Amino acid sequence: MKVLVATEKPFAKEAVDGIRKIVEEGGHELALLEKYTDKAELLAAVADVHALIIRSDKVTADVIAAAKNLKIVVRAGAGYDNVDLAAASERGIVVMNTPGQNSNAVAELALAMMIYMSRNCFTPGKGQELQGKTLGLMAYGHIGKLVGQKAQALGMKVIVYARHKDAATLAADGCEKVETVAELFKRSNYLSLHIPATADTKGSINYELISSMPKGAILVNTARKEVICEEGLEKAFTEREDLKYITDIAAVNQAAWNEKFGNRVFATPKKQGAETGEANVNAGLAAARQIVGYLNNGDTTFQVNK
Ligand code: 3PG
């Protein structure tokens, strides 16, 4: 069967080589569509494929409709908000992600972002240190947990809001559980977001939460831009000149914010979180294994549209 890697932001070469090996050893054929600039290229490329490996590439209903033979889509990464799950499920197409595989890369970036903002985007002037400060983690999945570990190594106190983790489990990791999102924001000198973009979370990081943060607080977003209420952030930042925001996913209003807030805001030019060779290899090879496992043995571990 034909497996397509469709990546507008390509994997490292070593990851593509590894994917090819796994796919071919599994008895399948690999096709590549990298750095495409037009959706028409994706629509044409999926026409005859049975399996699809993607990153943040948008698999919308029209892409699924164009892929007449499609059986499985694997998002090499964590967040699958770029896949139309309803359209896939309607056709009986299995959708998976590769949880945990690129987490370390994202966690390292979150820490780097905290330091970058603490040192005024590396421009002259007094910065501040992470040691002794409180880091709030909004959710505690693979990435949140790693950020917590690394932050503790730097001498930070880590507090966590995570509905499905009990206090004892978090305490064993050296973290304190907080019961409400309001408390998390109120106590965090640094706050790192690790929630997916869902109907519940979109726009949930709002004015009330942001403006309740301690003096000099830094909000770090390696999750999704959609979780931020942009109007609320702008209002809070206009009222509070001490707050800072750094994100791996530029806001819709980013250009205006850069102009208005200067060094208090920063967005990476293109999402960098999973942009390491290691993360590409981990996530890409996991995706290839999951596809071969499904096509050859019907293994649906990691299916997200059950
Ligand atoms: C993820 O959800 O895994 C990250 O956002 C990585 O996205 P990317 O593969 O587009 O870099």
Short mmCIF file of all heavy atoms in Angstrom, two decimals, residues 4-58:
data_model
loop_
_atom_site.label_atom_id
_atom_site.label_comp_id
_atom_site.label_asym_id
_atom_site.label_seq_id
_atom_site.Cartn_x
_atom_site.Cartn_y
_atom_site.Cartn_z
N LEU A 4 1.98 8.17 2.29
CA LEU A 4 2.47 9.50 1.92
C LEU A 4 2.89 10.26 3.17
O LEU A 4 2.15 10.34 4.14
CB LEU A 4 1.35 10.28 1.21
CG LEU A 4 1.68 11.75 0.87
CD1 LEU A 4 2.73 11.85 -0.24
CD2 LEU A 4 0.41 12.51 0.46
N VAL A 5 4.12 10.82 3.11
CA VAL A 5 4.54 11.79 4.13
C VAL A 5 4.27 13.16 3.54
O VAL A 5 4.90 13.55 2.55
CB VAL A 5 6.04 11.64 4.47
CG1 VAL A 5 6.49 12.75 5.42
CG2 VAL A 5 6.33 10.28 5.09
N ALA A 6 3.31 13.88 4.09
CA ALA A 6 2.96 15.21 3.58
C ALA A 6 3.30 16.23 4.65
O ALA A 6 2.60 16.35 5.65
CB ALA A 6 1.49 15.28 3.22
N THR A 7 4.41 16.92 4.44
CA THR A 7 4.90 17.84 5.47
C THR A 7 5.27 19.19 4.86
O THR A 7 6.28 19.30 4.18
CB THR A 7 6.14 17.25 6.18
OG1 THR A 7 7.03 16.73 5.19
CG2 THR A 7 5.78 16.18 7.19
N GLU A 8 4.45 20.18 5.13
CA GLU A 8 4.75 21.53 4.68
C GLU A 8 6.06 21.98 5.35
O GLU A 8 6.89 22.65 4.74
CB GLU A 8 3.57 22.44 5.08
CG GLU A 8 3.70 23.89 4.70
CD GLU A 8 4.32 24.72 5.83
OE1 GLU A 8 4.00 24.46 7.00
OE2 GLU A 8 5.12 25.61 5.51
N LYS A 9 6.26 21.56 6.61
CA LYS A 9 7.52 21.82 7.34
C LYS A 9 8.19 20.45 7.43
O LYS A 9 7.81 19.62 8.25
CB LYS A 9 7.15 22.36 8.72
CG LYS A 9 8.29 22.85 9.55
CD LYS A 9 7.80 23.55 10.81
CE LYS A 9 7.06 22.62 11.75
NZ LYS A 9 6.55 23.27 12.95
N PRO A 10 9.19 20.18 6.57
CA PRO A 10 9.69 18.81 6.43
C PRO A 10 10.39 18.27 7.68
O PRO A 10 10.91 19.03 8.50
CB PRO A 10 10.70 18.91 5.30
CG PRO A 10 10.63 20.26 4.75
CD PRO A 10 9.90 21.13 5.72
N PHE A 11 10.42 16.95 7.77
CA PHE A 11 11.23 16.27 8.78
C PHE A 11 12.71 16.37 8.41
O PHE A 11 13.05 16.54 7.22
CB PHE A 11 10.91 14.77 8.80
CG PHE A 11 9.58 14.41 9.38
CD1 PHE A 11 8.64 13.72 8.62
CD2 PHE A 11 9.28 14.68 10.71
CE1 PHE A 11 7.42 13.34 9.16
CE2 PHE A 11 8.06 14.31 11.25
CZ PHE A 11 7.13 13.64 10.48
N ALA A 12 13.58 16.19 9.39
CA ALA A 12 15.01 16.07 9.12
C ALA A 12 15.23 14.85 8.21
O ALA A 12 14.45 13.89 8.26
CB ALA A 12 15.76 15.88 10.43
N LYS A 13 16.29 14.89 7.40
CA LYS A 13 16.54 13.81 6.44
C LYS A 13 16.64 12.45 7.12
O LYS A 13 16.11 11.45 6.64
CB LYS A 13 17.84 14.12 5.66
CG LYS A 13 18.11 13.10 4.56
CD LYS A 13 19.44 13.31 3.88
CE LYS A 13 19.73 12.23 2.84
NZ LYS A 13 19.67 10.88 3.34
N GLU A 14 17.31 12.43 8.28
CA GLU A 14 17.47 11.15 8.97
C GLU A 14 16.11 10.56 9.38
O GLU A 14 15.95 9.33 9.40
CB GLU A 14 18.39 11.29 10.19
CG GLU A 14 17.92 12.35 11.16
CD GLU A 14 18.92 12.68 12.27
OE1 GLU A 14 19.63 11.77 12.73
OE2 GLU A 14 18.97 13.85 12.66
N ALA A 15 15.16 11.43 9.65
CA ALA A 15 13.82 10.94 10.00
C ALA A 15 13.14 10.36 8.75
O ALA A 15 12.55 9.27 8.82
CB ALA A 15 12.98 12.07 10.58
N VAL A 16 13.27 11.04 7.62
CA VAL A 16 12.65 10.54 6.38
C VAL A 16 13.27 9.20 5.99
O VAL A 16 12.57 8.25 5.62
CB VAL A 16 12.80 11.57 5.23
CG1 VAL A 16 12.23 11.00 3.93
CG2 VAL A 16 12.09 12.87 5.59
N ASP A 17 14.59 9.10 6.13
CA ASP A 17 15.27 7.84 5.80
C ASP A 17 14.74 6.71 6.69
O ASP A 17 14.49 5.60 6.23
CB ASP A 17 16.79 7.97 6.01
CG ASP A 17 17.42 8.89 4.99
OD1 ASP A 17 16.76 9.21 3.97
OD2 ASP A 17 18.58 9.32 5.21
N GLY A 18 14.58 7.00 7.98
CA GLY A 18 14.08 5.99 8.92
C GLY A 18 12.64 5.60 8.62
O GLY A 18 12.28 4.41 8.71
N ILE A 19 11.83 6.59 8.26
CA ILE A 19 10.42 6.31 7.91
C ILE A 19 10.38 5.39 6.70
O ILE A 19 9.66 4.39 6.67
CB ILE A 19 9.67 7.63 7.63
CG1 ILE A 19 9.52 8.45 8.91
CG2 ILE A 19 8.30 7.35 7.01
CD1 ILE A 19 9.02 9.88 8.71
N ARG A 20 11.19 5.73 5.69
CA ARG A 20 11.21 4.92 4.45
C ARG A 20 11.56 3.46 4.77
O ARG A 20 10.93 2.52 4.28
CB ARG A 20 12.23 5.51 3.46
CG ARG A 20 12.24 4.79 2.11
CD ARG A 20 13.27 5.39 1.16
NE ARG A 20 13.06 6.80 0.90
CZ ARG A 20 12.11 7.28 0.09
NH1 ARG A 20 11.29 6.47 -0.53
NH2 ARG A 20 11.98 8.58 -0.09
N LYS A 21 12.57 3.29 5.60
CA LYS A 21 13.03 1.93 5.93
C LYS A 21 11.89 1.13 6.58
O LYS A 21 11.61 -0.01 6.19
CB LYS A 21 14.23 2.05 6.89
CG LYS A 21 14.97 0.77 7.15
CD LYS A 21 16.35 1.09 7.75
CE LYS A 21 17.19 -0.16 7.96
NZ LYS A 21 16.78 -0.95 9.09
N ILE A 22 11.24 1.74 7.55
CA ILE A 22 10.16 1.04 8.27
C ILE A 22 8.99 0.71 7.32
O ILE A 22 8.47 -0.40 7.31
CB ILE A 22 9.66 1.89 9.46
CG1 ILE A 22 10.75 1.98 10.52
CG2 ILE A 22 8.38 1.32 10.06
CD1 ILE A 22 10.50 3.04 11.59
N VAL A 23 8.64 1.68 6.49
CA VAL A 23 7.50 1.49 5.57
C VAL A 23 7.84 0.39 4.56
O VAL A 23 7.03 -0.52 4.32
CB VAL A 23 7.16 2.84 4.87
CG1 VAL A 23 6.23 2.63 3.69
CG2 VAL A 23 6.54 3.80 5.89
N GLU A 24 9.04 0.45 3.98
CA GLU A 24 9.40 -0.54 2.95
C GLU A 24 9.59 -1.92 3.56
O GLU A 24 9.16 -2.92 2.98
CB GLU A 24 10.65 -0.06 2.18
CG GLU A 24 10.28 1.14 1.31
CD GLU A 24 11.44 1.74 0.51
OE1 GLU A 24 12.60 1.29 0.67
OE2 GLU A 24 11.18 2.69 -0.26
N GLU A 25 10.20 -1.98 4.73
CA GLU A 25 10.35 -3.30 5.38
C GLU A 25 8.99 -3.89 5.76
O GLU A 25 8.84 -5.10 5.86
CB GLU A 25 11.25 -3.19 6.62
CG GLU A 25 12.73 -3.10 6.22
CD GLU A 25 13.69 -2.92 7.41
OE1 GLU A 25 13.23 -2.92 8.58
OE2 GLU A 25 14.89 -2.76 7.14
N GLY A 26 8.01 -3.00 5.96
CA GLY A 26 6.65 -3.47 6.25
C GLY A 26 5.90 -3.90 5.00
O GLY A 26 4.74 -4.31 5.07
N GLY A 27 6.56 -3.75 3.83
CA GLY A 27 5.95 -4.21 2.58
C GLY A 27 5.16 -3.13 1.85
O GLY A 27 4.34 -3.44 0.98
N HIS A 28 5.43 -1.87 2.18
CA HIS A 28 4.67 -0.78 1.58
C HIS A 28 5.58 0.17 0.82
O HIS A 28 6.81 0.07 0.90
CB HIS A 28 3.89 -0.04 2.67
CG HIS A 28 3.03 -0.97 3.48
ND1 HIS A 28 1.88 -1.52 2.99
CD2 HIS A 28 3.20 -1.50 4.73
CE1 HIS A 28 1.35 -2.32 3.90
NE2 HIS A 28 2.14 -2.33 4.97
N GLU A 29 4.95 1.12 0.15
CA GLU A 29 5.68 2.07 -0.71
C GLU A 29 5.59 3.46 -0.08
O GLU A 29 4.54 3.82 0.46
CB GLU A 29 4.95 2.05 -2.06
CG GLU A 29 5.44 2.99 -3.11
CD GLU A 29 4.36 3.15 -4.22
OE1 GLU A 29 3.43 2.32 -4.31
OE2 GLU A 29 4.46 4.15 -4.95
N LEU A 30 6.70 4.23 -0.14
CA LEU A 30 6.67 5.58 0.46
C LEU A 30 6.66 6.66 -0.61
O LEU A 30 7.42 6.60 -1.56
CB LEU A 30 7.87 5.80 1.38
CG LEU A 30 7.76 7.09 2.19
CD1 LEU A 30 6.87 6.91 3.40
CD2 LEU A 30 9.12 7.60 2.63
N ALA A 31 5.81 7.65 -0.43
CA ALA A 31 5.81 8.84 -1.29
C ALA A 31 6.01 10.06 -0.39
O ALA A 31 5.65 10.04 0.79
CB ALA A 31 4.49 8.95 -2.04
N LEU A 32 6.60 11.09 -0.98
CA LEU A 32 6.92 12.31 -0.20
C LEU A 32 6.32 13.55 -0.84
O LEU A 32 6.45 13.75 -2.04
CB LEU A 32 8.44 12.52 -0.21
CG LEU A 32 9.32 11.90 0.86
CD1 LEU A 32 10.75 12.39 0.63
CD2 LEU A 32 8.86 12.28 2.26
N LEU A 33 5.69 14.38 -0.02
CA LEU A 33 5.28 15.72 -0.48
C LEU A 33 5.77 16.67 0.60
O LEU A 33 5.18 16.78 1.67
CB LEU A 33 3.76 15.81 -0.62
CG LEU A 33 3.24 17.22 -0.94
CD1 LEU A 33 3.66 17.65 -2.36
CD2 LEU A 33 1.73 17.30 -0.81
N GLU A 34 6.88 17.35 0.31
CA GLU A 34 7.48 18.24 1.31
C GLU A 34 7.41 19.69 0.84
O GLU A 34 7.42 19.97 -0.36
CB GLU A 34 8.94 17.86 1.55
CG GLU A 34 9.09 16.51 2.23
CD GLU A 34 10.55 16.15 2.50
OE1 GLU A 34 11.41 16.47 1.65
OE2 GLU A 34 10.81 15.57 3.55
N LYS A 35 7.38 20.59 1.82
CA LYS A 35 7.44 22.04 1.55
C LYS A 35 6.41 22.49 0.52
O LYS A 35 6.72 23.37 -0.31
CB LYS A 35 8.84 22.44 1.04
CG LYS A 35 9.93 22.34 2.08
CD LYS A 35 11.19 22.95 1.51
CE LYS A 35 12.37 22.71 2.40
NZ LYS A 35 13.64 23.06 1.80
N TYR A 36 5.24 21.89 0.51
CA TYR A 36 4.25 22.34 -0.47
C TYR A 36 3.71 23.71 -0.05
O TYR A 36 3.68 24.03 1.14
CB TYR A 36 3.12 21.31 -0.64
CG TYR A 36 2.38 20.97 0.62
CD1 TYR A 36 1.22 21.67 1.00
CD2 TYR A 36 2.83 19.98 1.47
CE1 TYR A 36 0.54 21.37 2.16
CE2 TYR A 36 2.15 19.67 2.65
CZ TYR A 36 1.01 20.37 2.98
OH TYR A 36 0.35 20.09 4.15
N THR A 37 3.31 24.47 -1.03
CA THR A 37 2.88 25.83 -0.72
C THR A 37 1.40 26.02 -1.04
O THR A 37 0.80 27.04 -0.67
CB THR A 37 3.70 26.86 -1.53
OG1 THR A 37 3.68 26.46 -2.89
CG2 THR A 37 5.13 26.94 -1.03
N ASP A 38 0.83 25.06 -1.72
CA ASP A 38 -0.55 25.19 -2.19
C ASP A 38 -1.34 23.95 -1.79
O ASP A 38 -0.86 22.83 -1.96
CB ASP A 38 -0.49 25.32 -3.72
CG ASP A 38 -1.82 25.77 -4.28
OD1 ASP A 38 -2.85 25.60 -3.60
OD2 ASP A 38 -1.82 26.29 -5.42
N LYS A 39 -2.52 24.16 -1.27
CA LYS A 39 -3.35 23.02 -0.85
C LYS A 39 -3.65 22.07 -2.02
O LYS A 39 -3.81 20.86 -1.83
CB LYS A 39 -4.66 23.53 -0.26
CG LYS A 39 -5.45 22.46 0.43
CD LYS A 39 -6.70 23.06 1.03
CE LYS A 39 -7.38 22.04 1.92
NZ LYS A 39 -8.60 22.60 2.49
N ALA A 40 -3.68 22.64 -3.25
CA ALA A 40 -3.97 21.81 -4.43
C ALA A 40 -2.94 20.68 -4.56
O ALA A 40 -3.26 19.58 -4.99
CB ALA A 40 -3.96 22.68 -5.69
N GLU A 41 -1.69 20.97 -4.15
CA GLU A 41 -0.64 19.93 -4.22
C GLU A 41 -0.96 18.79 -3.27
O GLU A 41 -0.78 17.61 -3.60
CB GLU A 41 0.72 20.53 -3.81
CG GLU A 41 1.26 21.57 -4.76
CD GLU A 41 2.55 22.18 -4.22
OE1 GLU A 41 3.58 21.47 -4.16
OE2 GLU A 41 2.52 23.36 -3.81
N LEU A 42 -1.47 19.13 -2.09
CA LEU A 42 -1.84 18.10 -1.12
C LEU A 42 -3.03 17.30 -1.64
O LEU A 42 -3.04 16.06 -1.58
CB LEU A 42 -2.15 18.75 0.24
CG LEU A 42 -2.57 17.82 1.36
CD1 LEU A 42 -1.46 16.81 1.68
CD2 LEU A 42 -2.92 18.61 2.62
N LEU A 43 -4.02 17.99 -2.17
CA LEU A 43 -5.22 17.32 -2.68
C LEU A 43 -4.84 16.33 -3.78
O LEU A 43 -5.36 15.21 -3.84
CB LEU A 43 -6.23 18.35 -3.20
CG LEU A 43 -6.90 19.22 -2.12
CD1 LEU A 43 -7.71 20.35 -2.75
CD2 LEU A 43 -7.81 18.39 -1.21
N ALA A 44 -3.90 16.72 -4.65
CA ALA A 44 -3.49 15.82 -5.73
C ALA A 44 -2.68 14.65 -5.18
O ALA A 44 -2.87 13.50 -5.59
CB ALA A 44 -2.66 16.60 -6.76
N ALA A 45 -1.81 14.94 -4.22
CA ALA A 45 -0.91 13.89 -3.70
C ALA A 45 -1.64 12.80 -2.93
O ALA A 45 -1.18 11.66 -2.88
CB ALA A 45 0.17 14.53 -2.83
N VAL A 46 -2.75 13.14 -2.29
CA VAL A 46 -3.44 12.13 -1.46
C VAL A 46 -4.37 11.23 -2.28
O VAL A 46 -4.91 10.25 -1.75
CB VAL A 46 -4.27 12.78 -0.31
CG1 VAL A 46 -3.37 13.55 0.64
CG2 VAL A 46 -5.39 13.67 -0.84
N ALA A 47 -4.54 11.55 -3.58
CA ALA A 47 -5.57 10.87 -4.39
C ALA A 47 -5.50 9.34 -4.31
O ALA A 47 -6.54 8.69 -4.25
CB ALA A 47 -5.48 11.34 -5.83
N ASP A 48 -4.29 8.78 -4.32
CA ASP A 48 -4.19 7.31 -4.39
C ASP A 48 -3.50 6.70 -3.16
O ASP A 48 -3.03 5.57 -3.22
CB ASP A 48 -3.43 6.90 -5.66
CG ASP A 48 -2.02 7.45 -5.69
OD1 ASP A 48 -1.69 8.37 -4.89
OD2 ASP A 48 -1.21 6.97 -6.50
N VAL A 49 -3.40 7.45 -2.05
CA VAL A 49 -2.65 6.89 -0.91
C VAL A 49 -3.57 6.20 0.09
O VAL A 49 -4.75 6.52 0.21
CB VAL A 49 -1.78 7.96 -0.18
CG1 VAL A 49 -0.87 8.67 -1.17
CG2 VAL A 49 -2.63 8.96 0.58
N HIS A 50 -2.98 5.22 0.80
CA HIS A 50 -3.73 4.47 1.81
C HIS A 50 -3.44 4.97 3.22
O HIS A 50 -4.24 4.76 4.13
CB HIS A 50 -3.37 2.98 1.71
CG HIS A 50 -3.62 2.41 0.35
ND1 HIS A 50 -2.65 2.38 -0.63
CD2 HIS A 50 -4.75 1.91 -0.20
CE1 HIS A 50 -3.17 1.85 -1.73
NE2 HIS A 50 -4.43 1.56 -1.50
N ALA A 51 -2.27 5.60 3.37
CA ALA A 51 -1.88 6.07 4.70
C ALA A 51 -1.17 7.41 4.57
O ALA A 51 -0.50 7.67 3.57
CB ALA A 51 -0.96 5.05 5.36
N LEU A 52 -1.32 8.22 5.59
CA LEU A 52 -0.79 9.59 5.54
C LEU A 52 -0.07 9.89 6.85
O LEU A 52 -0.62 9.67 7.94
CB LEU A 52 -1.99 10.52 5.36
CG LEU A 52 -1.79 11.99 5.07
CD1 LEU A 52 -0.89 12.21 3.86
CD2 LEU A 52 -3.16 12.64 4.82
N ILE A 53 1.16 10.40 6.73
CA ILE A 53 1.89 10.92 7.89
C ILE A 53 1.97 12.43 7.71
O ILE A 53 2.40 12.91 6.66
CB ILE A 53 3.32 10.33 8.00
CG1 ILE A 53 3.26 8.81 8.20
CG2 ILE A 53 4.10 11.01 9.12
CD1 ILE A 53 4.63 8.13 8.24
N ILE A 54 1.57 13.16 8.75
CA ILE A 54 1.57 14.63 8.67
C ILE A 54 2.18 15.21 9.94
O ILE A 54 2.38 14.50 10.94
CB ILE A 54 0.13 15.18 8.53
CG1 ILE A 54 -0.77 14.57 9.63
CG2 ILE A 54 -0.42 14.93 7.15
CD1 ILE A 54 -1.99 15.37 9.94
N ARG A 55 2.41 16.52 9.92
CA ARG A 55 2.79 17.27 11.12
C ARG A 55 1.63 18.22 11.43
O ARG A 55 0.55 17.75 11.75
CB ARG A 55 4.13 17.98 10.91
CG ARG A 55 5.27 16.98 10.72
CD ARG A 55 6.61 17.62 10.60
NE ARG A 55 6.96 18.35 11.82
CZ ARG A 55 8.12 18.97 12.01
NH1 ARG A 55 9.03 18.95 11.06
NH2 ARG A 55 8.37 19.59 13.14
N SER A 56 1.85 19.54 11.30
CA SER A 56 0.73 20.47 11.54
C SER A 56 -0.12 20.66 10.28
O SER A 56 -0.99 21.53 10.25
CB SER A 56 1.25 21.82 12.01
OG SER A 56 1.76 21.70 13.31
N ASP A 57 0.15 19.86 9.27
CA ASP A 57 -0.57 19.96 8.00
C ASP A 57 -2.07 19.77 8.22
O ASP A 57 -2.47 18.88 8.97
CB ASP A 57 -0.01 18.90 7.04
CG ASP A 57 1.48 19.00 6.95
OD1 ASP A 57 2.19 18.48 7.87
OD2 ASP A 57 1.97 19.65 6.03
N LYS A 58 -2.86 20.57 7.55
CA LYS A 58 -4.31 20.53 7.78
C LYS A 58 -4.99 19.45 6.94
O LYS A 58 -4.99 19.53 5.71
CB LYS A 58 -4.92 21.90 7.47
CG LYS A 58 -4.50 22.94 8.50
CD LYS A 58 -5.32 24.20 8.38
CE LYS A 58 -5.06 25.16 9.52
NZ LYS A 58 -3.66 25.41 9.84
#
